[in-house]
Amino acid sequence: MAGDSEEERDGFNHMTLRIPGLLYVSVKMENPNLTLSGDLLPHVSGSFPLGPSWDPSKALSMERESATVWELSFVVPPNHEALEFKFLLKPKCIDNPCFVEEGSSRVLVGGAWQDGDRMALFRLDNDQVLEYRVFVEAKRISPFDLAASWRAYQENFRLSSVRGIPDVSINSEHQTGSENISSANLELDLEHYIVPSPSTSPSSALAYAANSTENPRSLGGGSASISSSMGDDGVPMINQPETVGEVHAPDQSKVYQSPGMVKSQSVGTICPPEKEGSLRGVSIDRGVGFPRLVKSSSSDTFTTNFNLDPGTKNSIPAAAGAVAAAAIADQMLGPKEHRHLAIVMVSLPARGKTYTAAKLTRYLRWLGHNTKHFNVGKYRRLKHGSSQSADFFRADNPEGVVARNEVAKMAFEDMISWMQEGGQVGIFDATNSSKQRRNMLMKLAEGRCKIIFLETICNDVEIIERNIRFKIQQSPDYAEVPDFEAGLRDFKERVAYYEKVYETVEEGSYIKMIDMASGHGGQIQVNNISGYLPGRIVFFLVNTHLTPRPILLTRHGESRFNVRGRIGGDSALSEAGELYKKKLAKFVEKRLKSERAACIWTSTLQRTILTAGPIVGFPKIQWRALDEINAGVCDGMTYEEIKKNMPAEYESRCKDKLRYRYPRGESYLDVIQRLEPVIIELERQRAPVVVISHQAVLRALYAYFTDRPLQEIPDIEVPLHTIIEINLGVTGVEEKRYKLMD
Ligand SMILES: Nc1ncnc2c1ncn2[C@@H]1O[C@H](COP(=O)(O)OP(=O)(O)O)[C@@H](O)[C@H]1O
Ligand SMILES: O=P(O)(O)OC[C@H]1O[C@@](CO)(OP(=O)(O)O)[C@@H](O)[C@@H]1O
């Protein structure tokens, strides 16, 4: 250290005596009057080791240390005699001239400052004078210190200096670089930027989730078949076969200890996380999303051992994503009936059964579990028509009871048949509100599948009233009833008949969601729940809620690698990307202006962090889990180069882009697996979130919200400079797209 020869002033060390040995030098400039300096950036130009020449174009830029102080540090070798340097101000626009400080050059000899001026004076074009205070600090460092700090620099400093902001940050004013906003101005009305969403996206949250559930096999439905929608004549329309389902487990070693693993033999209560009042100061463990794992067996080894060929039907789940060794072990080693799981919904009408069943189905499918939703109401409508009045649902109407039990049995048997063909999780959606009905189901399930009851209880009369009104609007039961009030009366009568005979679940394995829609947290009770998958289901349900909020998904602004067609890497933004980041900031400002809280999530790659740069007023969080698919040895190559130099790899990826894993990199399935905590966190958040990430990652996130089959994920279109707004609402998911630039 130089402590023995320094003179302290203004908090900086001004050297007067030479320090022998290797030196660490820090020079700083301070300009308290920021408004004068405009967009002039301080630089240093000098002799070795500051630069090979005095050429201003090779001057080193200083880093902004605080709002008014700029800093540059460097190492001077031990045998170096004199170091000469000068400060420069360079305009951001490279075409404009730069300004060199007045007076002779500054000289440092062995770290001692040869009495240079303590002010740097710049005379600008218009004879305006800018003054900066100058500080120099020199410390002797040992080669060991240097080696250690070099390592630290390699590991940390370079990253944070490139990125310029810490993992969790918030900027309350526009950063340098976000000026010159005029070209980034947006129309007053954001609707101006709306472009059509792809036809496969969820058309409207008002579409009733039961419509897209399974059809009776007796009607030619089966495991993959007829449509969710009804034709004008009431006859189901034939649609595409369902493609979701069987895929390889990506890597059985890739299991991380998840909070989803719950074992409970007796009744326990879990309270969901508190509602977030404000997101400011939020801190997130960046490790989340990076499973602690050992890369070992490939999916090939796994599938050979356990005969999990995606093309063959078998009784073992063909799983992906977070479904890994634990899930498979449960399936392989547990009792035979445990290889298939039936989630049997229980509740009075209008308590969110179909909504919850549809959401859980979407989540499990996205993780790679072969899951289907069987809605008994749909079976009833197809068998008995959709114009049954409340009387049909009276417990003392024997014909109604027989008819309802018959369709319930039919749907349950269909579900079991599908499981025997390889299906893994069946979600059985009916009121199942009496012990007698549940006993019937348990008998049907004996030795064939494990049952977990999922009961939704709601004590909030206002929510029940709102739900009932939704049902009249959405349910095909009332599609033919022109008078809304008459429909309302009939449905309330139906609910009252159910209430008379309703028995809460007290038997078997169950999960009870109590008042989870109230917005005050509610609670979840679990009884006799164990195993990987039930644990995941409980964890998912604890974190979901009904608070409406938008999630804005966007890729980073165009990167320099994008321009050159190179994949991966960590390049900065192109000119178009720079413009997009400014437009995006304006968009976010307008779109979220009425929100009390919101959060900006980026990956740890600089193209997303730079894109988030000009957004002000909201906390920004970097997630490693949001980093782009790791292209391994192909990182930085163009697709053409991969095709030419690694034709076999290129070919394999074309054949199966979902499962293909780049050598030393990742597959899409790997990406989905690491995104699972991101999905849980997105479900848990109550405020809007802006996710600035990458093509492959956003494909996977988008597929979750829009219930797209895994196989389609690698080809989903996620264009640059476009914002995909996902609105999570009380009735489901709706999508809007804004295109800010061509
Ligand atoms: N856990 C819940 N408790 C109460 N209401 C809920 C819950 N989950 C969802 N909802 C709301 O209930 C409304 C009606 O739900 P739906 O699933 O059609 O009811 P059900 O199938 O029980 O008749 C949904 O639009 C949703 O807003
Ligand atoms: O899976 P494919 O279709 O190759 O798309 C993923 C690729 O998208 C890219 C662009 O080509 O994303 P990004 O824009 O985030 O850089 C590559 O980095 C990444 O490898």
Side-chain angles (χ1 to χ4, degrees):
M1 291 291 293
D4 45 358
S5 59
E6 71 200 359
E7 184 187 304
E8 297 229 342
R9 275 180 238 143
D10 311 320
F12 296 105
N13 303 326
H14 298 257
M15 306 304 306
T16 50
L17 294 173
R18 296 177 57 146
I19 312 168
L22 198 67
L23 289 178
Y24 176 87
V25 179
S26 160
V27 291
K28 303 191 187 202
M29 284 218 305
E30 184 186 25
N31 174 11
N33 194 351
L34 272 178
T35 47
L36 285 177
S37 53
D39 61 356
L40 293 172
L41 304 175
H43 282 65
V44 180
S45 174
S47 62
F48 178 84
L50 279 174
S53 75
W54 284 82
D55 179 355
S57 69
K58 304 215 167 75
L60 301 177
S61 65
M62 299 177 83
E63 294 269 333
R64 192 170 206 148
E65 193 181 80
S66 68
T68 55
V69 178
W70 299 78
E71 198 255 4
L72 177 75
S73 46
F74 49 91
V75 174
V76 182
N79 55 0
H80 192 70
E81 263 302 306
L83 164 72
E84 283 187 63
F85 68 95
K86 273 195 141 189
F87 292 106
L88 272 79
L89 292 179
K90 278 176 117 180
K92 272 186 220 145
C93 169
I94 47 169
D95 298 333
N96 295 342
C98 66
F99 303 98
V100 182
E101 68 167 313
E102 304 247 298
S104 51
S105 0
R106 298 170 184 275
V107 183
L108 266 182
V109 179
W113 190 5
Q114 303 302 293
D115 225 17
D117 204 330
R118 307 234 186 280
M119 299 301 284
L121 202 133
F122 299 89
R123 202 171 293 282
L124 308 187
D125 280 346
N126 49 6
D127 256 6
Q128 189 188 3
V129 172
L130 276 184
E131 278 190 319
Y132 286 76
R133 290 205 302 160
V134 174
F135 310 93
V136 177
E137 183 186 22
K139 289 174 181 169
R140 195 178 68 214
I141 47 169
S142 74
F144 299 109
D145 290 339
L146 187 64
S149 47
W150 176 247
R151 258 202 318 276
Y153 170 83
Q154 292 278 57
E155 283 162 17
N156 308 306
F157 180 67
R158 194 164 43 173
L159 288 180
S160 53
S161 81
V162 171
R163 286 155 176 71
I165 50 169
D167 293 352
V168 179
S169 65
I170 175 165
N171 48 315
S172 51
E173 56 182 67
H174 282 289
Q175 293 175 331
T176 325
S178 62
E179 297 91 4
N180 186 16
I181 288 285
S182 58
S183 58
N185 275 343
L186 293 183
E187 301 275 336
L188 271 178
D189 184 3
L190 292 181
E191 302 290 302
H192 177 86
Y193 297 96
I194 291 188
V195 288
S197 302
S199 52
T200 40
S201 70
S203 48
S204 158
L206 278 176
Y208 187 43
N211 291 343
S212 40
T213 59
E214 297 309 305
N215 285 287
R217 287 179 173 230
S218 55
L219 287 174
S223 56
S225 57
I226 51 179
S227 154
S228 48
S229 52
M230 302 283 285
D232 291 339
D233 51 2
V235 176
M237 296 187 302
I238 306 297
N239 209 352
Q240 282 181 321
E242 189 189 271
T243 43
V244 174
E246 292 155 77
V247 288
H248 285 278
D251 185 337
Q252 59 168 325
S253 63
K254 287 192 156 194
V255 186
Y256 57 100
Q257 193 60 41
S258 129
M261 293 183 200
V262 172
K263 185 157 181 73
S264 145
Q265 292 305 329
S266 59
V267 180
T269 301
I270 302 169
C271 290
E274 280 292 291
K275 182 175 174 176
E276 263 124 72
S278 155
L279 284 161
R280 280 171 206 214
V282 69
S283 127
I284 294 244
D285 174 6
R286 282 177 58 202
V288 172
F290 252 64
R292 283 159 269 126
L293 16 107
V294 196
K295 275 206 170 178
S296 60
S297 57
S298 69
S299 54
D300 285 343
T301 332
F302 183 77
T303 50
T304 311
N305 288 346
F306 295 99
N307 186 27
L308 272 179
D309 190 301
T312 59
K313 299 259 179 200
N314 53 63
S315 61
I316 304 163
V323 187
I328 302 298
D330 266 14
Q331 299 290 317
M332 293 297 299
L333 308 173
K336 195 166 160 239
E337 72 264 25
H338 287 199
R339 292 181 199 170
H340 307 291
L341 179 62
I343 302 289
V344 173
M345 305 303 298
V346 176
S347 86
L348 291 166
R351 293 335 196 245
K353 286 183 302 298
T354 299
Y355 177 96
T356 308
K359 195 164 182 176
L360 191 56
T361 305
R362 176 157 62 86
Y363 170 71
L364 294 173
R365 280 180 178 172
W366 183 79
L367 284 175
H369 296 280
N370 196 358
T371 305
K372 281 193 171 177
H373 180 178
F374 295 82
N375 176 272
V376 177
K378 187 172 184 183
Y379 275 64
R380 167 180 53 77
R381 281 187 284 277
L382 290 172
K383 183 134 182 31
H384 301 288
S386 55
S387 54
Q388 306 298 331
S389 72
D391 260 358
F392 182 77
F393 301 93
R394 273 180 23 220
D396 56 358
N397 169 358
E399 279 165 31
V401 172
V402 170
R404 280 160 48 219
N405 279 340
E406 192 186 23
V407 281
K409 217 164 159 183
M410 193 197 243
F412 203 85
E413 286 293 0
D414 277 3
M415 184 176 77
I416 300 275
S417 304
W418 164 75
M419 284 177 174
Q420 285 164 350
E421 291 162 4
Q424 189 189 0
V425 186
I427 305 198
F428 187 74
D429 175 11
T431 52
N432 302 315
S433 51
S434 68
K435 283 205 161 77
Q436 197 185 19
R437 162 68 75 84
R438 295 193 292 267
N439 279 340
M440 176 186 100
L441 300 178
M442 284 203 275
K443 282 214 179 76
L444 290 175
E446 245 165 38
R448 309 207 281 180
C449 71
K450 171 164 177 59
I451 283 188
I452 292 180
F453 294 113
L454 173 53
E455 183 176 5
T456 54
I457 296 173
C458 178
N459 297 307
D460 185 324
V461 285
E462 275 174 30
I463 292 180
I464 297 170
E465 179 68 24
R466 184 187 71 185
N467 290 352
I468 289 176
R469 287 172 176 270
F470 280 149
K471 298 278 304 190
I472 308 302
Q473 283 164 5
Q474 290 184 320
S475 171
D477 285 357
Y478 295 96
E480 313 272 284
V481 181
D483 179 358
F484 185 85
E485 293 303 322
L488 206 59
R489 275 193 304 277
D490 181 80
F491 191 73
K492 286 186 175 174
E493 207 181 320
R494 185 198 298 191
V495 175
Y497 289 138
Y498 274 101
E499 271 166 347
K500 278 192 182 159
V501 291
Y502 187 78
E503 292 167 293
T504 191
V505 181
E506 282 161 338
E507 66 273 35
S509 299
Y510 63 77
I511 303 166
K512 280 187 202 223
M513 298 174 74
I514 304 168
D515 287 332
M516 292 288 285
S518 64
H520 312 301
Q523 58 166 292
I524 290 209
Q525 288 182 357
V526 295
N527 182 57
N528 196 16
I529 298 289
S530 64
Y532 177 82
L533 198 50
R536 290 230 69 85
I537 292 171
V538 172
F539 185 58
F540 175 73
L541 295 173
V542 168
N543 285 292
T544 59
H545 56 82
L546 285 179
T547 309
R549 75 271 185 208
I551 293 174
L552 306 178
L553 305 175
T554 177
R555 283 173 73 186
H556 50 79
E558 183 189 59
S559 71
R560 293 185 191 165
F561 262 33
N562 288 152
V563 175
R564 292 157 62 200
R566 302 207 168 274
I567 64 169
D570 192 14
S571 64
L573 302 181
S574 71
E575 219 172 283
E578 288 286 335
L579 180 58
Y580 179 66
K581 79 175 186 190
K582 293 169 194 163
K583 284 187 181 273
L584 178 66
K586 293 246 161 196
F587 177 88
V588 170
E589 194 179 311
K590 284 190 182 183
R591 176 65 190 82
L592 302 182
K593 68 171 181 291
S594 55
E595 300 291 344
R596 275 189 303 125
C599 206
I600 317 295
W601 294 1
T602 68
S603 72
T604 64
L605 296 169
Q606 67 161 334
R607 50 193 185 277
T608 64
I609 295 167
L610 292 171
T611 305
I615 300 174
V616 295
F618 299 116
K620 296 175 193 165
I621 297 171
Q622 297 175 22
W623 283 73
R624 272 174 72 191
L626 287 175
D627 283 2
E628 181 55 312
I629 188 170
N630 179 352
V633 298
C634 298
D635 190 76
M637 293 168 83
T638 63
Y639 293 116
E640 267 312 302
E641 285 166 352
I642 301 173
K643 191 174 179 183
K644 197 165 150 230
N645 303 325
M646 308 168 79
E649 293 295 331
Y650 186 83
E651 202 41 18
S652 307
R653 191 161 199 256
C654 289
K655 277 198 187 126
D656 191 350
K657 203 172 164 191
L658 177 69
R659 294 178 192 80
Y660 171 82
R661 180 180 284 151
Y662 282 110
R664 308 226 188 105
E666 289 179 302
S667 67
Y668 267 88
L669 286 183
D670 294 332
V671 172
I672 293 166
Q673 177 178 332
R674 73 160 139 99
L675 283 174
E676 203 256 351
V678 175
I679 289 295
I680 296 286
E681 192 55 34
L682 282 173
E683 284 290 353
R684 203 179 67 83
Q685 294 284 325
R686 288 180 192 262
V689 180
V690 182
V691 183
I692 306 176
S693 182
H694 305 266
Q695 179 152 252
V697 165
L698 291 173
R699 281 174 173 154
L701 294 181
Y702 177 79
Y704 166 76
F705 289 110
T706 57
D707 201 12
R708 294 278 290 271
L710 289 181
Q711 284 84 345
E712 289 179 16
I713 290 180
D715 301 309
I716 293 176
E717 240 197 287
V718 182
L720 279 170
H721 305 160
T722 302
I723 296 140
I724 303 176
E725 177 173 321
I726 303 287
N727 282 296
L728 304 181
V730 284
T731 48
V733 177
E734 255 180 315
E735 176 188 341
K736 248 186 194 176
R737 286 189 179 208
Y738 302 88
K739 191 166 181 231
L740 300 192
M741 282 164 63
D742 287 326

